[in-house]
Amino acid sequence: LRDEVASLGIALSRDGSDSQDVDATLRGLVLGRGLDPIEALELLFPPIVSEVRRMDPLAQDAYTRARAALGPYAQGPAAFLARMGDLCLVGVDAMGLRPLWHVETDEAHVFASERGFIPLERYSADPRPLAPGEHAGLERTARGWRYLDERSLRARFVALRAKRGCA
C-alpha cells in the first residue's frame, strides 16, 4: 500500500501504522484527488476476483479496472468505519478476520466490534456480523440517517466510475 500510495503523491507518516496509512490514503483520495468517499473506499477494499466474476458486465468492468488501478493492497485483517460529511462507510476486508457487528435499535444503526454493549431489550433486529468483504453505509438525509446496503454502494461505485469514464 505504501508504494502504491507514494506513486499517487499522497503523503503518509514515516512511522505510521497500517490503520493510519489507510486513513491517510482515504483522505488523500477524497480530499486531494476529488474522489467520492464510496469510490475511494471501494478502490481501497475491492471485492475478491471470484466475486467480481459473478457481477453484471458493467460492474465487472468497473471493479476489474479498480483492482488494476490500485490493487488489493489494503487487505489484511481490517474492519473499518469512515465518516466524511454526511456519509459513514463501514466494512470488513475480504478475509473477514476482524469482526464488525451491525446492531439495529429503534433509534439507530450501530456498527461495532462487539454486539454486547447495546442492551438486548434495545435490539429491533437480530445483530449480525458483516460477512468477509461486505461493505455498508449510512447517509444523512433531510429525514435522518438512511442505511445503504452493499448492493446500493456497489451500484453507486459503478455509476461514479462510469461518470469518470473508468468503467
Side-chain angles (χ1 to χ4, degrees), residues 75-79 91-101 113 130-134:
Q75 302 297 346
V92 178
D93 73 290
M95 292 189 290
L97 299 175
R98 295 274 192 260
L100 187 62
W101 288 85
S113 61
L130 271 65
E134 183 178 356

Side-chain angles (χ1 to χ4, degrees), residues 26-118:
L26 181 62
R27 282 186 287 109
L29 291 172
V30 174
L31 302 174
R33 298 285 182 203
L35 296 182
D36 182 272
I38 292 172
E39 201 174 7
L41 211 54
E42 292 292 300
L43 284 167
L44 277 173
F45 293 97
I48 61 174
V49 174
S50 62
E51 195 170 341
V52 171
R53 288 183 183 135
R54 294 191 309 261
M55 295 177 179
D56 68 78
L58 189 59
Q60 280 182 20
D61 201 33
Y63 278 102
T64 299
R65 288 173 186 250
R67 286 183 69 88
L70 197 57
Y73 297 111
Q75 302 297 346
F80 57 82
L81 186 144
R83 179 163 180 214
M84 299 191 111
D86 291 334
L87 193 59
C88 180
L89 300 170
V90 299
V92 178
D93 73 290
M95 292 189 290
L97 299 175
R98 295 274 192 260
L100 187 62
W101 288 85
H102 179 196
V103 180
E104 289 182 67
T105 70
D106 289 337
E107 302 85 31
H109 290 271
V110 179
F111 295 92
S113 61
E114 307 268 333
R115 62 184 172 172
F117 73 96
I118 301 281

Side-chain angles (χ1 to χ4, degrees), residues 15 18 81 96 98-99 148:
D15 297 320
D18 293 346
L81 186 144
R98 295 274 192 260
L148 303 170

